[in-house]
Amino acid sequence: MRRGPSVWYEFIGAEGFHQMKSPIAGGNGRAAPLYTQRGLRLPDRIVELFDLGCGSHRRACLFLVVLCLVALLPGFFSIPPVDRDGARFALISRHMVETGDLTETRLGWEAKRTRALGLHWFQAAVVKAADLVGVPDAHTRIWLYRLPSLAAAIGAVLLTYWAALAFIHRRAAVLAASLLASSVALGVGGRLAVPEVFLLGSVAAMMGALGRLYLAERRSGPAGNWDQSPHEARLALAFWAALAFGLFTKGLMTPLYLLLPLAALLAMDRSALFLRRARSYPGLGLLVLVAGGWFLLRRYAPPETQDEFVMRTLLGQVAGAYRGFTGLPGIYTLLFFALFWPAAPLAALAAPIVWKARRIGSVRFLLAWVVPAWLLFELLPTKVPAYVAPTLPAIAILIGVAVERGALALGNMRLTRVLWLWPLIGAVIAVAALLGMAVFDRTTSVLAWPLLLVGFFALVVAAGSVRDYGIEKSALVAIAGMLVSGFGVMQLVLPNIESFWMAPRVVAAAAREPCGAEAGDIEVGIAGFNEPSLALLLPDAPRFLDGAGAADFLKAGGGCRVVFVERRQEPRFARRAEAIGLRIQRGADLRGFDYNSLREVRLAPYRRG
């Protein structure tokens, strides 16, 4: 431990070193720093609001909850179901509500049930409750399936704040949690019906508890007689409970984010004594209960009934879950600047300082949280951006450590040019959104332009005034700029790019079909576009078919049926229709863009002639 403080002394100088506080600190907030009187008044108001939020733990939690809502609610209700994983998870949960089978996680012709059940149960409970209180068409409203993810995102931010208090004071902990709350990664996860935000919160809670136990062991000195205190027993229980919750909601990926840091700490410290403080028989029992219950439900669940089997298999071949992409090592590092924007430039600024301070216990633990997982995923050929998301709380806390110590302000100002990535990446996101609307729909959003310009101006001010404002104030201004421009993109631009959202247009076209009262509900078949969002939005499940199967489906229908045939399936559809003597009528084409396969889509509706 002797070499640790000298590292900070080297970077921030004598005056800054004597003014700093220990990184292994409690929860008392630090006094607000002094700011120059130059510049706009609005940044000062932003800092005053932040100061108010840092006044106590209760205010800090309230501030972070409000920040999460401001960041996540734009687009939460208006963005249609996103293919693939978000719509797939919601569709599975819808089937649970409709069938009452809480163990079936397959769609269509899938053979294996391997997904964790937690998210589906939460979603099914929300949808069932909404149906009971009278929400119309609750089964098809995607925002109901997103509510558990929104709650999990808020929980992940609050747990990051709690974890950060093991290493830094309250003010820096609020800053670290705010960086996570405003990040693109959390914004995407909190708006989708996916379990990644549950994993993020579980890892933050698990590592926050383990970090406190690790630092307590380092402070205790040489090994000797030791008894677990009541506080440590509660931390150990929280550690095991977080691991169990991660298994319940995400599955077998969760232990990986524990085993890799443990292996790194054991290799660096050559000691595992800190693990004795994590002993908790109730916590271990909870873990065994969750893991055993999952195994038993998977192996000995009630057999699928004939009606459930028919309902599932008639759906057909639903598009598979997102499996990532193939890339060379280094892809995650490039993606990091988009995933953790606007905090990513601060991480780049802090990286050399943090690495120099790696011998300090708190920094060592946080680096063990980040580096092994990051290196592993960089080396794997398949890249899934969500895999590195559980390391973001640790990166945010490391930024908080560097800001609190004054190392960024005094020791690394020569690298502040990297902060110009704030307006650069912000401009790329805004231009990409507006350009997509112009190219695909040949229109624009007049209301979004002022917000995007104001947000861009705030990012320019944050980057250009860092020497006057300081890192903390500039970061807060950048977060505010991100929130303003994010509202414009997520609420006013993205939901209104109709070409991206084929499923709602198909559902609307099916609803316009002229069916007589005696024909009953319309039956929909579709060939060449098998995205789960369509099955989620339709009142009754569609049939995902090929071109020939679509013709047979239309021929066999005695009631009101319509098929939507993608242009690549039209030759097979036409040949089969001619072979079976099917007379058909064609409606107006629906043109759009499939963002999963990056290709244009044209669906033609057909009905019997």
Side-chain angles (χ1 to χ4, degrees):
M1 293 294 290
R2 227 179 246 181
R3 297 185 59 184
S6 64
V7 174
W8 294 112
Y9 188 94
E10 173 187 350
F11 274 94
I12 70 176
E15 181 180 359
F17 179 80
H18 290 302
Q19 290 177 353
M20 76 181 185
K21 296 186 179 182
S22 171
I24 309 169
N28 294 327
R30 303 177 66 192
L34 297 177
Y35 299 102
T36 62
Q37 298 299 318
R38 292 177 293 173
L40 300 173
R41 293 179 58 85
L42 185 58
D44 293 328
R45 303 289 84 79
I46 294 172
V47 174
E48 289 175 3
L49 179 62
F50 183 74
D51 291 340
L52 182 64
C54 296
S56 66
H57 289 308
R58 182 175 298 178
R59 288 182 181 179
C61 292
L62 179 60
F63 172 81
L64 292 173
V65 169
V66 173
L67 177 63
C68 288
L69 294 176
V70 172
L72 296 175
L73 287 184
F76 184 85
F77 300 96
S78 56
I79 294 177
V82 178
D83 294 307
R84 309 276 173 73
D85 289 358
R88 285 179 63 87
F89 276 96
L91 185 57
I92 292 170
S93 302
R94 173 182 170 175
H95 287 175
M96 286 185 175
V97 175
E98 292 174 344
T99 64
D101 186 355
L102 298 180
T103 63
E104 182 57 74
T105 60
R106 290 175 292 182
L107 283 179
W109 297 341
E110 291 180 13
K112 294 183 178 180
R113 297 180 291 187
T114 58
R115 298 178 185 85
L117 296 169
L119 174 62
H120 297 301
W121 288 3
F122 290 139
Q123 290 176 338
V126 170
V127 173
K128 187 66 175 179
D131 191 43
L132 291 176
V133 299
V135 176
D137 301 322
H139 294 189
T140 63
R141 296 189 180 275
I142 185 60
W143 62 270
L144 289 173
Y145 297 92
R146 291 171 176 166
L147 285 178
S149 296
L150 175 64
I154 296 173
V157 170
L158 294 177
L159 288 168
T160 297
Y161 167 69
W162 175 77
L165 290 174
F167 310 99
I168 46 183
H169 292 84
R170 185 191 306 137
R171 185 182 188 85
V174 175
L175 177 63
S178 300
L179 294 175
L180 179 66
S182 60
S183 66
V184 170
L186 193 82
V188 172
R191 289 183 175 89
L192 299 181
V194 293
E196 275 66 27
V197 283
F198 287 89
L199 176 63
L200 183 64
S202 299
V203 173
M206 183 170 56
M207 299 304 290
L210 187 63
R212 285 168 166 81
L213 299 175
Y214 174 79
L215 295 177
E217 181 65 30
R218 288 180 65 91
R219 290 195 299 267
S220 66
N225 294 329
W226 170 82
D227 291 320
Q228 189 181 47
S229 68
H231 176 64
E232 290 174 343
R234 290 191 294 270
L235 287 175
L237 178 59
F239 166 77
W240 290 103
L243 179 58
F245 186 78
L247 283 174
F248 177 61
T249 53
K250 181 57 180 176
L252 296 178
M253 282 290 293
T254 307
L256 183 65
Y257 298 96
L258 170 64
L259 296 177
L260 290 174
L262 286 180
L265 291 172
L266 292 177
M268 290 186 293
D269 294 346
R270 298 180 182 180
S271 172
L273 286 177
F274 69 94
L275 291 177
R276 63 185 179 176
R277 298 178 184 270
R279 183 188 68 206
S280 175
Y281 296 116
L284 185 60
L286 179 61
L287 179 65
V288 171
L289 178 64
V290 170
W294 184 22
F295 173 78
L296 292 175
L297 286 174
R298 281 283 173 260
R299 189 171 181 84
Y300 301 107
E304 191 175 25
T305 66
Q306 184 66 23
D307 291 341
E308 292 172 354
F309 175 77
V310 170
M311 179 186 299
R312 181 170 60 84
T313 55
L314 282 179
L315 186 63
Q317 185 66 47
V318 186
Y322 177 68
R323 300 298 182 186
F325 60 93
T326 302
L328 297 174
I331 292 295
Y332 281 118
T333 303
L334 294 177
L335 289 176
F336 172 74
F337 286 92
L339 290 173
F340 206 37
W341 185 80
L346 294 175
L349 197 63
I353 299 172
V354 167
W355 184 249
K356 287 286 187 178
R358 64 187 180 276
R359 296 183 182 276
I360 298 177
S362 56
V363 177
R364 172 176 293 191
F365 182 86
L366 293 169
L367 288 175
W369 182 349
V370 176
V371 175
W374 203 279
L375 291 178
L376 174 64
F377 295 132
E378 287 282 21
L379 294 175
L380 292 177
T382 301
K383 311 298 182 184
V384 180
Y387 284 175
V388 296
T391 66
L392 297 182
I395 297 174
I397 297 172
L398 284 169
I399 295 172
V401 170
V403 171
E404 181 177 78
R405 297 288 188 167
L408 288 185
L410 299 176
N412 211 26
M413 290 300 293
R414 65 184 182 277
L415 297 179
T416 53
R417 293 188 188 92
V418 74
L419 296 182
W420 283 101
L421 287 174
W422 278 337
L424 177 62
I425 297 177
V428 169
I429 294 174
V431 170
L434 292 173
L435 191 61
M437 197 175 210
V439 170
F440 294 110
D441 287 359
R442 302 182 185 275
T443 185
T444 190
S445 174
V446 177
L447 295 177
W449 277 92
L451 294 175
L452 297 178
L453 290 174
V454 169
F456 177 75
F457 177 73
L459 294 171
V460 170
V461 170
S465 303
V466 65
R467 294 181 181 272
D468 295 328
Y469 287 171
I471 291 294
E472 183 190 77
K473 187 175 183 180
S474 294
L476 295 175
V477 174
I479 290 173
M482 176 268 170
L483 295 177
V484 174
S485 59
F487 183 90
V489 171
M490 303 305 294
Q491 183 65 39
L492 302 177
V493 177
L494 191 58
N496 297 314
I497 306 179
E498 292 186 354
S499 297
F500 280 10
W501 314 115
M502 289 296 295
R505 296 166 64 196
V506 171
V507 173
R512 291 193 297 267
E513 284 297 309
C515 295
E518 68 282 356
D521 294 334
I522 188 170
E523 298 179 67
V524 177
I526 190 162
F529 184 80
N530 58 343
E531 298 293 350
S533 58
L534 181 60
L536 176 68
L537 293 179
L538 283 169
D540 298 312
R543 307 285 181 86
F544 291 121
L545 310 160
D546 59 11
D552 292 333
F553 172 78
L554 203 58
K555 175 73 172 180
C560 183
R561 288 191 174 187
V562 62
V563 294
F564 293 84
V565 184
E566 209 272 330
R567 61 181 175 181
R568 295 181 300 175
Q569 293 287 334
E570 281 189 309
R572 298 185 64 186
F573 174 77
R575 288 194 299 267
R576 182 60 179 168
E578 183 178 0
I580 62 178
L582 175 65
R583 298 180 60 186
I584 55 178
Q585 292 181 348
R586 177 172 177 162
D589 289 350
L590 300 176
R591 297 176 180 269
F593 183 77
D594 185 354
Y595 46 82
N596 286 299
S597 57
L598 299 179
R599 63 180 178 87
E600 292 185 1
V601 175
R602 188 193 70 190
L603 295 174
Y606 290 92
R607 66 186 69 87
R608 294 184 65 171

